[in-house]
Amino acid sequence: MTRTISRLFICYFALWLALSVVGKFISNQFFISSQISFFASLIILTASFFAYKNRINSRLENAREEILAKIEEDEEDEEILPQNEPKEFSLKDEKARLKKQKFSFKDRSFVAAFMPYRLVAYAMLFFGFIFLKNENLLNVPGFLVGLAPMPIGAFIFGIMQNNLRKDADGK
């Protein structure tokens, strides 16, 4: 995990460095706008990570008994059926099972979208924009370019991780 975080840090540090160099050559307003939006989006990324991490941890804690009950039920079903006979799949049984499941906002990603961490992070982005506008430092292309390294960094990091896994697996 530490190795992954250090690789992610290196990836975003390289993108920040490139953004800084390009921004300094274009204009001071471009540089300031891009830096504020970059760091605000970095805070949004971090807040999103912690929000989803907390959501997953709470779901794991709450669903532990349900998972164990399901495993025990599956084991009982396997004991009843002969080993060489496949389980019958019934569309009606599956539909009935899905209808029993209740809709809950906790089961959807709506809750993670409105976590306090993320709301504060988006507020920082908004207030950074307002600050730049009020101080006549806003450069809209610079602001948008400052937001771009987050998805680009995630894409590059995903490719790096995928290649590292392939190398580790020997494929």
Side-chain angles (χ1 to χ4, degrees), residues 62-168:
N62 294 338
R64 185 169 305 205
E65 293 148 12
E66 186 178 314
I67 292 170
L68 291 174
K70 179 74 172 161
I71 290 172
E72 289 174 2
E73 182 180 304
D74 287 345
E75 287 175 354
E76 290 174 2
D77 289 346
E78 287 177 5
E79 290 174 1
I80 294 171
L81 292 174
Q83 292 297 334
N84 55 1
E85 187 177 315
K87 285 186 177 180
E88 291 286 326
F89 177 76
S90 172
L91 188 58
K92 290 180 182 179
D93 292 340
E94 187 64 19
K95 283 183 181 180
R97 186 186 67 81
L98 290 173
K99 283 183 182 179
K100 288 180 184 176
Q101 292 179 343
K102 295 180 182 177
F103 177 79
S104 170
F105 281 113
K106 289 183 179 181
D107 294 337
R108 307 292 182 238
S109 62
F110 301 127
V111 173
F114 296 107
M115 296 299 279
Y117 305 131
R118 292 186 68 185
L119 292 176
V120 168
Y122 280 109
M124 290 177 75
L125 179 67
F126 174 74
F127 288 125
F129 183 85
I130 297 299
F131 169 78
L132 290 170
K133 177 88 170 113
N134 289 340
E135 297 295 322
N136 293 325
L137 294 172
L138 180 63
N139 183 306
V140 175
F143 195 83
L144 294 175
V145 168
L147 294 174
M150 285 306 122
I152 292 169
F155 180 71
I156 291 170
F157 183 73
I159 290 173
M160 284 183 353
Q161 288 296 104
N162 193 20
N163 288 340
L164 289 172
R165 284 192 190 118
K166 285 182 180 179
D167 291 341

Side-chain angles (χ1 to χ4, degrees), residues 4-21:
T4 303
I5 292 172
S6 64
R7 287 184 187 134
L8 187 63
F9 177 76
I10 290 169
C11 180
Y12 282 115
F13 181 75
L15 288 169
W16 171 77
L17 200 57
L19 180 67
S20 298
V21 169

